[in-house]
Amino acid sequence: MARVPSAVVAATGLVGGYGVARWTKKRQLGGAVLAVAGAAAAQQWRQQAGGKAAGALTAAYVAAFAGSHPLAKKVGAWPAVFGVAGAVALASWVVADRRHS
């Protein structure tokens, strides 16, 4: 069975975390989705690109989550979430997934 690229896992965590929190009105549940996907992506990053790259991508993932909040005030919630998810997915692909496709 083919492995899901870490870029997809990370983007799904950001979009899915927000979607779950919004639709269930339970922020903790959305946070759990965000955390589980982030941990899964971090594990893949570590395996594919090493510890330093995994640390940098994990920091980018957390920064994307945090940065989506002020960005949402300017462009709207969904565009902000999709924008940061796309940025993290691109970084993930460049640093880790591109080598293993």
Side-chain angles (χ1 to χ4, degrees):
M1 185 163 159
R3 175 180 237 172
V4 176
S6 63
V8 173
V9 174
T12 300
L14 289 160
V15 173
Y18 174 69
V20 166
R22 181 173 176 146
W23 290 317
T24 65
K25 302 205 183 322
K26 296 187 186 309
R27 295 178 73 187
Q28 299 87 346
L29 190 55
V33 170
L34 180 80
V36 168
Q43 182 178 14
Q44 283 185 264
W45 294 328
R46 194 174 315 104
Q47 291 171 350
Q48 293 173 350
K52 286 184 183 180
L57 288 168
T58 300
Y61 184 82
V62 172
F65 167 70
S68 69
H69 292 82
L71 183 59
K73 293 179 182 177
K74 297 181 190 290
V75 300
W78 280 112
V81 170
F82 285 129
V84 300
V88 169
L90 179 61
S92 179
W93 181 80
V94 167
V95 173
D97 294 332
R98 179 173 53 160
R99 300 175 188 171
H100 292 87
S101 342

